[in-house]
Amino acid sequence: MNRINMNQPIRMFPIILIMVGLGGALLSSSVLAIATLFLAISGLAFIYNKTLLKTGWETPKELRLLHFAFWFFVLVSALSWALEGFDYEGGKTFGTHARLILFWPLVIALTVAGFRARHLFLATALVALSSLAALLIAHAAEYENIGQLLNTRFGAGNLIIFGNLALLGGVLALVGGSYFARAGKAPVAIAVFGLGATAIVISILSGTRSNLIALPVLLILLLPLVGPKLRLPGLAAVTVILLALLFSSDRMPQPIEDALEGKGLGPGIEIRLELWQETANIFMEHPWTGVGLGGYSSSIEDLADSQPEHADLRNCCTGHAHNDLLNNAATSGIPGILSWGFLIFVPMVIFAKNIFNSHQPSAHIAVAGTMVSAGYLVFGLTEATFNRSLFLTFYLLAIAGPASALFAELSSSYFRQRKVKVSATIIAKNEEHHIADCLKSARLVADEVIVLDSGSSDRTAEIAKEYADVVEVTDWPGFGIQKQRALEKATGEWVLSLDADERITPELAREINHHLAAPDADAYKLPWAVTIYGKRLDFGRSGRAPLRLFRREGVRFSDALVHERIIIPEGRKIRTLRGRLTHYTHRDFGHSLEKSAKYAWLGAMEKHRKGKKTRTMIYPTLRGLMTFVQVYFIRFGFLDGAVGYLTAVTYAQVTFNKYAGLWTLDRTTADDSRN
């Protein structure tokens, strides 16, 4: 990405806004809301001016997936509100949920501003500082001495929200302290560690039960940041902290003691259990649509009025179900469960994949992002967090910030130069439109380029000689054997096997060179970025990451006619890189039909050669449908728009044709046997 030419005050504005928003959240929800609004407005301005596009910025597919998780939640909420007839109470809930649509403008604003790890962890330190400020303000205004304050359930505003967010801010500050310590900024690290520990102590004063579960979970997520030898002692320390919290708090041991003595779990817990049972019943009665955003309150109120044994629910629980999963299930049915799952687990998985990254800023951001999602998962066990505007807006900003910072840091983390020789091998036939660009891109990572031309009738071989070290024209024995021939000509310690319609992007080249400076695996998969009809696909067929880069010794290709495999010796480690391998699969739709038919027939013959059989046409039909579902839905191909749909249909047709072709070959063989 090229540098953004912009005045420094303008670039710093989004960074100041996120710090003010997160830092002021525990003091005033209005501060968080206003800062988020202005940050989103600045993002919309950057989108309108195409600020990032002018720099050549390529949207990380992970950010697109995060964006989907946020807008899908809003979409499901809108549908639930519409299905119930735009109920007034439901409208207020939808108004809260609608804030999530601001995720993309927030990310754009922070990306343009150059939001990085140092900014993120200063912001989390401010969250911890604000919890201390709230304590001092309360002490000055309401309590005669600190001892009186410490003997009460302390919290600014809603005790549960304050306690949860103070805890999350405190643990995030611990991550920030670790980051600054690794960056060699000891005074800052000590101050941030101190603020984090203070915020955690203050959060315990709120007496929030979910914090007793959340704290050990969040502390465990700190362990990837310490050395392997310290992780087991760290786990033991977390266990000790958990036991100390359980036995020092009167909000957990007492219900346990009462239960052991047969006195029940206490009125608070028993009402929650009763509520959850009734909420589950509402979901079972309306599994596909739920009862609507406002319908839940009406259902609980009707239940409390009609059945005296449930009258207590009216006093505490008509607003929401005090559980995120059950609340979404009751109000929006199965779509609500999916939307909640995407909102929690998509960010969690994306961040968690990077927590062991060797680049320390990226690893710390990944741990912080994972903590936010994991924290909300635990908080949501006893609270409908996404129905609370403060909770929801904090989550929105606390995911957008780490997401923007993570991919900025990852992009800048590839700086080492490889120290090993790499040979690039390419097989080609009639690829004069692709071969030059393919070979130029290969030169970004390869010392030796080898091309085997399978009898092209165009200028493929002639063009290849301008860029490759070795060019040979051969017969066509099939993909596997031809790639093995090319591999045998390679002399490098590492081999990059490419198809002529593939390209190594500059960022992928930097990542490959960085990893090969000190390889952390024996082979690497390179995620595809299929590009057809003028669009780069991030999902669907691009959901695959073929193995392309490997240590040469002991490796061979299978002899398959099509869809050959690279056979790696057992015990070797394989990793997947982040950068994208651009794949121009088709020149046009006519070429798509031609290539699809060829691959389907070769696939049918390969399966027939191995003795595979298809006895009825039902099987090809089912396999075609399964391919469509996998490419379009499971791999999120629908996010690639109309081209994603066309691609899913095309691959479904290829699958059908392959197994239909196998069926015809079986019949032909049977007829020959009878004759």
Side-chain angles (χ1 to χ4, degrees), residues 130-144:
S130 68
S131 67
L132 176 59
L135 181 87
L136 296 176
I137 292 170
H139 175 239
E142 301 176 32
Y143 299 95
E144 296 180 0

Side-chain angles (χ1 to χ4, degrees), residues 211-440:
N211 277 359
L212 301 179
I213 302 172
L215 179 57
V217 171
L218 297 175
L219 291 178
I220 286 172
L221 288 173
L222 282 171
L223 297 181
L225 299 179
V226 302
K229 293 182 180 179
L230 294 176
R231 287 172 190 162
L232 191 57
L235 188 60
V238 171
T239 304
V240 171
I241 291 171
L242 174 61
L243 293 174
L245 287 173
L246 287 175
F247 290 102
S248 64
S249 169
D250 61 352
R251 288 180 57 77
M252 286 299 283
Q254 190 61 49
I256 295 173
E257 290 177 12
D258 290 344
L260 292 175
E261 295 175 4
K263 299 178 182 179
L265 293 172
I269 294 178
E270 289 183 351
I271 287 177
R272 292 283 177 91
L273 294 175
E274 177 188 351
L275 173 67
W276 293 341
Q277 179 61 56
E278 295 305 324
T279 304
N281 292 338
I282 292 173
F283 166 68
M284 295 304 294
E285 292 173 6
H286 308 273
W288 294 106
T289 62
V291 292
L293 302 182
Y296 169 80
S297 295
S298 301
S299 298
I300 295 298
E301 288 172 359
D302 291 344
L303 178 69
D305 291 340
S306 62
Q307 300 183 29
E309 64 271 23
H310 296 302
D312 288 342
L313 296 181
R314 173 176 280 281
N315 299 325
C316 71
C317 311
T318 57
H320 54 78
H322 290 275
N323 178 283
D324 269 331
L325 176 59
L326 288 174
N327 195 75
N328 279 276
T331 57
S332 304
I334 292 174
I337 295 174
L338 284 174
S339 68
W340 170 82
F342 286 142
L343 195 58
I344 289 290
F345 291 107
V346 168
M348 188 185 297
V349 170
I350 287 173
F351 287 120
K353 287 171 66 175
N354 291 281
I355 60 176
F356 291 104
N357 197 296
S358 59
H359 184 242
Q360 286 303 312
S362 300
H364 281 75
I365 295 169
V367 168
T370 307
M371 280 181 171
V372 173
S373 293
Y376 270 71
L377 177 63
V378 177
F379 301 155
L381 295 176
T382 57
E383 185 71 18
T385 58
F386 296 119
N387 275 27
R388 304 277 198 177
S389 59
L390 176 55
F391 256 140
L392 180 139
T393 310
F394 191 93
Y395 186 77
L396 172 64
L397 214 52
I399 292 294
S404 177
L406 176 63
F407 295 106
E409 292 288 359
L410 285 172
S411 258
S412 65
S413 67
Y414 313 126
F415 55 87
R416 297 181 302 193
Q417 293 301 312
R418 59 186 167 84
K419 300 176 182 178
V420 296
K421 181 179 179 180
V422 177
S423 298
T425 61
I426 299 98
I427 66 170
K429 182 176 181 180
N430 295 332
E431 293 284 2
E432 64 178 0
H433 298 290
H434 287 301
I435 193 67
D437 289 337
C438 174
L439 300 182
K440 288 177 185 177

Side-chain angles (χ1 to χ4, degrees), residues 560-624:
L561 294 173
V562 67
H563 300 312
E564 70 291 339
R565 293 184 302 110
I566 298 174
I567 301 172
I568 304 291
E570 287 188 17
R572 293 195 180 178
K573 187 176 181 180
I574 301 174
R575 296 192 63 177
T576 301
L577 299 185
R578 277 199 66 252
R580 310 293 296 282
L581 179 66
T582 306
H583 188 198
Y584 295 92
T585 55
H586 312 132
R587 291 190 297 270
D588 51 43
F589 191 63
H591 183 228
S592 168
L593 296 175
E594 176 187 340
K595 191 173 179 179
S596 298
K598 173 185 173 182
Y599 273 72
W601 183 239
L602 286 174
M605 290 192 292
E606 178 65 20
K607 288 188 175 296
H608 184 67
R609 182 174 72 88
K610 292 181 177 180
K612 304 290 184 181
K613 294 182 180 296
T614 298
R615 291 181 171 81
T616 73
M617 286 298 292
I618 296 175
Y619 187 72
T621 303
L622 292 176
R623 285 300 298 258

Side-chain angles (χ1 to χ4, degrees), residues 22 26 59 62 88 144 168 199 256 267 293 333 351 355 394 463 487 529 538 543 564 666:
L22 291 176
L26 293 181
T59 309
E62 297 92 340
Y88 173 74
E144 296 180 0
L168 185 58
I256 295 173
L293 302 182
F351 287 120
I355 60 176
F394 191 93
I463 296 171
L487 175 61
D538 286 331
E564 70 291 339
D666 290 340

